Amino acid sequence: MNGAINFTYGFSHGVEWGWPIAVYLLLAGISGGALIVALLIRFYKKQQVDTPLLKAASLVSFVTIAFGMVFLVGDLEKPLYFWKILIHYNFTSVMSIGVMAISIYIPLTLIMCLYMFEKEISMVLAKKSQLVSYFAMIMATLTKIRPFIEVLSVIFAVVICAYTGFLISVLVRFPILNTAILPALFVVSGLSAGTASASMVASYLFKENTHSADLKTLHTIEWPIMAVEIMLIAMLFVSLLVGNEFQQTTTVAFKSGLFANLFWFGVMGIGFGLPLVLNFGLGKKMASTHMAFYLSGMASVLGVLCLRMFIIYAGQTFSV
């Protein structure tokens, strides 16, 4: 009985999760990925100053998760009742655990922004001395626990990237979604999109040189991240190919039709192929230009969006 219930668990009205959820998954991945790479670089290099990369990543992480929540809540059948999820927790539910993680992660990204832009905020509040005093008191307290906040931010950034994969993977009626590979794929693709987004914002808003030490580090780790991402996608395909008869039929999503076009042109072509061409196929002179830098970053982000769209739509189309 329990096995039957678990096996048929899932949506009953076709495609329930549409493009807003795919956009949320992208933004959540960017948010977590950007903060992870920037803070890990800070830890590894033992940086004591707030670098343009860390400022960019902190800003990106807060803005993207905030906009992501707009898409997530807006897609709910009754978005005005979202607050009920925040006060009623079921610790055996992946959804409840995810909501709790988001409730902790969003304030962490806000605190990271306060660290990065403390001087700018103080200048804005300068005309109201009482507010400046309160803000100074708050920052004095937060500064004492900054190392703890930074470590906690990395942990919850990983959780935010991964939990949606865990949430989707419990839908056992959908073979493409019901796989343990998804959480890892969402973390790695989030790192890819987050790295690209933080690099572009650091260069554009904070005038970081595209050949600076930090951006060179990001450029160095970008390719191993992409390689792992491709490996996980291949593992997803192979797991379906060697599965039961129905799982094998779902591989058509990779081979023909609209979903295959989205995968091969969007994910593989734009997401992986275009950055490779821009960085290695056009010569060092072209690869070092600002245009190639931004085009490569935008292609990586668009490729991750296409991957999220493919998983969401193709995953829900093929059900038991």
Side-chain angles (χ1 to χ4, degrees):
M1 177 69 72
N2 289 338
I5 291 174
N6 288 336
F7 184 74
T8 58
Y9 178 76
F11 299 136
S12 59
H13 301 94
V15 176
E16 295 278 352
W17 288 344
W19 66 266
I21 296 300
V23 173
Y24 161 71
L25 294 176
L26 170 70
L27 294 174
I30 290 174
S31 178
L35 204 53
I36 291 168
V37 293
L39 284 174
L40 288 183
I41 287 175
R42 177 178 176 83
F43 299 156
Y44 177 73
K45 294 185 175 182
K46 298 180 180 179
Q47 296 171 337
Q48 299 299 315
V49 297
D50 296 329
T51 63
L53 174 61
L54 186 56
K55 289 183 178 181
S58 299
L59 182 61
V60 165
S61 66
F62 176 69
V63 171
T64 52
I65 195 62
F67 275 104
M69 291 304 298
V70 172
F71 282 96
L72 178 63
V73 174
D75 192 64
L76 296 175
E77 186 176 345
K78 296 180 179 180
L80 295 180
Y81 287 91
F82 178 75
W83 62 271
K84 291 186 177 181
I85 305 176
L86 300 176
I87 60 176
H88 295 98
Y89 289 101
N90 175 8
F91 291 101
T92 63
S93 166
V94 179
M95 175 68 80
S96 289
I97 295 173
V99 170
M100 182 175 63
I102 290 175
S103 299
I104 297 172
Y105 176 71
I106 293 177
L108 287 173
T109 62
L110 176 59
I111 293 173
M112 286 301 302
C113 284
L114 293 180
Y115 288 143
M116 297 302 107
F117 306 107
E118 180 180 357
K119 291 181 179 179
E120 290 81 357
I121 295 172
S122 296
M123 290 176 61
V124 172
L125 300 176
K127 293 182 179 180
K128 296 188 177 181
S129 57
Q130 191 172 12
L131 289 179
V132 173
S133 299
Y134 287 142
F135 180 67
M137 290 172 57
I138 293 171
M139 292 308 302
T141 302
L142 289 177
T143 300
K144 293 177 182 178
I145 58 172
R146 178 166 174 172
F148 172 73
I149 291 293
E150 290 179 345
V151 172
L152 203 61
S153 295
V154 172
I155 294 171
F156 275 90
V158 173
V159 171
I160 291 302
C161 287
Y163 104 87
T164 45
F166 285 110
L167 174 63
I168 293 174
S169 66
V170 304
L171 301 173
V172 298
R173 286 181 53 208
F174 305 92
I176 295 178
L177 302 180
N178 182 224
T179 169
I181 296 171
L182 277 190
L185 178 57
F186 277 21
V187 171
V188 175
S189 60
L191 289 174
S192 179
T195 297
S197 299
S199 298
M200 290 188 291
V201 173
S203 173
Y204 185 76
L205 285 185
F206 300 101
K207 309 306 178 185
E208 178 78 322
N209 190 306
T210 56
H211 301 290
S212 70
D214 280 352
L215 293 194
K216 279 186 176 180
T217 301
L218 287 188
H219 191 66
T220 301
I221 66 175
E222 179 182 3
W223 305 113
I225 289 173
M226 289 178 64
V228 173
E229 190 177 355
I230 292 173
M231 181 186 70
L232 290 172
I233 293 172
M235 289 173 62
L236 174 62
F237 176 78
V238 171
S239 69
L240 296 172
L241 191 62
V242 301
N244 59 40
E245 183 178 355
F246 183 76
Q247 288 175 316
Q248 292 174 15
T249 63
T250 63
T251 59
V252 70
F254 293 86
K255 300 175 182 177
S256 62
L258 178 61
F259 299 136
N261 291 333
L262 178 62
F263 178 77
W264 289 106
F265 288 103
V267 179
M268 302 305 295
I270 296 176
F272 296 118
L274 187 55
L276 285 171
V277 170
L278 289 170
N279 284 275
F280 302 108
L282 299 179
K284 290 185 178 181
K285 186 175 182 179
M286 177 61 186
S288 64
T289 64
H290 277 78
M291 180 178 292
F293 173 80
Y294 287 110
L295 283 177
S296 179
M298 288 186 286
S300 296
V301 173
L302 185 56
V304 174
L305 174 60
C306 289
L307 177 62
R308 299 295 201 259
M309 295 282 283
F310 173 80
I311 290 174
I312 287 293
Y313 281 100
Q316 292 175 85
T317 298
F318 300 95
S319 63
V320 176

